[in-house]
């Protein structure tokens, strides 16, 4: 069965801390997506990757295909990074299968 | 920057009523999706649409649901006879020229069924 698991479910950290959110998936994928969902509900795509590592500003996403695992890192975290971060995967077709999300709260 | 838009932002309806949720995809995108998120739960796939036909649908997408592209720009999701459990946030998403590209999400329509 195609499944995506995320951890932790909730994460609270102090401003400036280095953040890591983990994602694992059950079988081979064609692409892995990291998404951000703000309190109002809107979803924004952060990264799409199928191998290696991508960086955008303070955000870094990595994927290990052999271990079926991806991580999202945030350096120098800021209160405005507070949101729900969602891992989602393409299991060989176009639809996305979503993880349950990680609720991140950064305290000033 | 091009964006996906959805209307209405919030719809309140009585159980048994029909609702139509509308999405305007990014203009050169070819793949369209509807997802939903029940409050407190994860986002779930409903249906994908390509070349004017459904390419895949989930178990949730039963006979009460339909999608169409009536005028070549809008992409609509119709729920014929709403149930209480249809209350959710409905997201439209679109992808460009190739499958497995980045998906661009609309802001969502919050549907409340009373």
């Amino acid at each position: 069965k195609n499944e995506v698991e995320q951890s932790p479910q909730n994460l609270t950290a102090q401003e400036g801390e280095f953040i890591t959110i983990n994602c694992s998936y059950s079988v081979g994928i064609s692409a892995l997506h990291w998404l951000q969902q703000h309190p109002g509900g809107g979803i924004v795509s952060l990264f799409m990757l199928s191998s290696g590592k991508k960086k955008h500003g303070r955000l870094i996403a990595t994927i290990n295909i052999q271990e079926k695992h991806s991580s999202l890192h945030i350096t120098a975290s800021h209160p405005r990074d507070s949101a729900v971060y969602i891992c989602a995967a393409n299991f060989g077709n176009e639809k996305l299968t979503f993880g349950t999300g990680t609720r991140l709260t950064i305290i000033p | 920057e091009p964006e996906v838009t959805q209307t209405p932002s919030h719809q309140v309806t009585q159980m048994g009523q029909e609702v139509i949720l509308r999405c305007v995809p990014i203009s050169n995108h070819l793949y369209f999706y509807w997802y939903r998120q029940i409050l407190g739960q994860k986002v779930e796939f409903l249906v994908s649409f390509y070349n004017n036909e459904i390419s895949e649908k989930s178990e949730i997408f039963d006979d009460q649901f339909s999608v169409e592209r009536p005028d070549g720009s809008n992409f609509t999701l119709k729920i014929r006879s709403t149930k209480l459990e249809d209350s959710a946030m409905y997201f439209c998403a679109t992808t460009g020229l190739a499958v497995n590209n980045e998906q661009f999400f609309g802001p969502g329509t919050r549907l409340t069924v009373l």
Side-chain angles (χ1 to χ4, degrees), chain A residues 30-31 33 35 37 40-43 45 48 86 90 93-96 98-100, chain B residues 33 35 37 42-43 45 48 55-56 89 91 99-103 105-107 110:
Chain A
S30 48
H33 301 248
L35 310 163
Q37 186 171 32
I43 295 174
S45 176
M48 187 190 75
I86 303 172
N90 294 107
N93 52 26
E94 70 267 27
K95 71 178 185 191
L96 289 180
F98 293 76
T100 51
Chain B
Y33 313 87
Y35 297 95
Q37 185 178 33
K42 63 182 177 182
V43 180
F45 168 76
S48 56
S55 50
E56 187 174 356
M89 190 78 144
F91 292 101
V99 140
N100 293 340
N101 274 3
E102 179 183 4
Q103 292 194 14
F105 286 79
R110 183 169 299 282

Side-chain angles (χ1 to χ4, degrees), chain A:
Chain A
K1 189 178 174 184
N2 299 336
E3 290 184 331
V4 177
E5 302 278 345
Q6 277 186 249
S7 63
Q9 285 194 318
N10 294 283
L11 178 57
T12 300
Q14 293 288 329
E15 182 175 355
E17 285 189 38
F18 181 80
I19 303 299
T20 297
I21 299 170
N22 296 299
C23 175
S24 59
Y25 47 91
S26 53
V27 296
I29 60 170
S30 48
L32 192 288
H33 301 248
W34 282 102
L35 310 163
Q36 182 189 55
Q37 186 171 32
H38 281 283
I43 295 174
V44 174
S45 176
L46 298 175
F47 295 104
M48 187 190 75
L49 64 167
S50 53
S51 64
K53 175 178 172 179
K54 287 191 176 180
K55 184 175 189 293
H56 186 256
R58 295 179 295 105
L59 272 57
I60 304 165
T62 63
I63 189 167
N64 184 317
I65 299 296
Q66 286 74 29
E67 294 186 5
K68 299 187 181 59
H69 181 269
S70 175
S71 294
L72 176 69
H73 305 285
I74 305 175
T75 61
S77 58
H78 190 276
R80 66 174 174 267
D81 297 326
S82 298
V84 176
Y85 292 84
I86 303 172
C87 174
N90 294 107
F91 287 99
N93 52 26
E94 70 267 27
K95 71 178 185 191
L96 289 180
T97 300
F98 293 76
T100 51
T102 295
R103 183 174 301 278
L104 175 66
T105 305
I106 304 296
I107 299 170

